[in-house]
Amino acid sequence: LVDYEEVHVADLFAGTGALGIEALSRGARQAVFVENHKSALQVLQRNVAQCGLESYSRVLPLQAHKALPKLAAAGEHFSLIFLDPPYGFGLAAATLLLLAKHHLVAPGGLVVAEHSRGDELAATYQNLVRYDQRLYGATVISFYTPANEHSGPPEL
């Protein structure tokens, strides 16, 4: 199982921050929340504060495609990345490509992408390989890990 004290989380298209906050509540070291929608950003900031997680969190009020190159330039790597973009715009695929291009997934890391059945994702994005996919009605959860680390699903 994962030692959550070593987990560095990115919650992209964070909305209320529920996924990143849950990871922090389980002991993750740090979470970076990326959200640009004004009302969601206000809720996110309030949730982080109410949970007392400000010292473990950074909130970037940017679109994911702008935040990811900045995080890469700062030398960031994430062991757990959540992305749940709006459906129907191809944002999940574009974000996976940016994650791969900028090498933001740490060795042994995991990307969990929520998308609609209509936003079909490729099996690979450069060095990221899909190792599992779950269907929940019209929603799909796809799991990716770096190819050079691919030996089955990471144990969480």
Side-chain angles (χ1 to χ4, degrees):
L1 293 175
V2 167
D3 177 2
Y4 276 94
E5 291 181 6
E6 299 303 317
V7 172
H8 190 164
V9 177
D11 190 348
L12 310 177
F13 309 92
T16 63
L19 296 173
I21 288 171
E22 178 66 22
L24 288 169
S25 77
R26 292 175 182 258
R29 176 183 290 182
Q30 182 182 12
V32 174
F33 297 91
V34 176
E35 178 58 61
N36 74 314
H37 189 271
K38 187 176 180 178
S39 61
L41 188 58
Q42 291 171 343
V43 172
L44 168 62
Q45 291 169 325
R46 185 172 55 246
N47 287 346
V48 168
Q50 286 178 344
C51 292
L53 298 171
E54 300 95 335
S55 62
Y56 304 100
S57 304
R58 282 186 293 144
V59 176
L60 301 179
L62 298 169
Q63 293 177 335
H65 75 273
K66 292 182 180 178
L68 295 178
K70 290 178 184 283
L71 291 166
E76 299 272 1
H77 296 91
F78 299 94
S79 44
L80 181 57
I81 299 172
F82 298 110
L83 62 114
D84 182 9
Y87 294 176
F89 298 98
L91 293 172
T95 303
L96 284 162
L97 191 56
L98 283 173
L99 289 169
K101 176 183 174 185
H102 293 292
H103 306 286
L104 287 163
V105 185
L110 174 65
V111 179
V112 181
E114 181 178 325
H115 55 100
S116 75
R117 281 187 186 220
D119 288 336
E120 192 164 327
L121 300 182
T124 61
Y125 290 91
Q126 295 181 7
N127 68 320
L128 294 178
V129 175
R130 184 176 62 218
Y131 70 83
D132 197 4
Q133 193 170 61
R134 307 284 172 95
L135 303 174
Y136 301 97
T139 299
V140 182
I141 308 292
S142 295
F143 301 86
Y144 290 83
T145 191
N148 56 351
E149 297 292 322
H150 186 67
S151 59
E155 294 183 36
L156 292 178

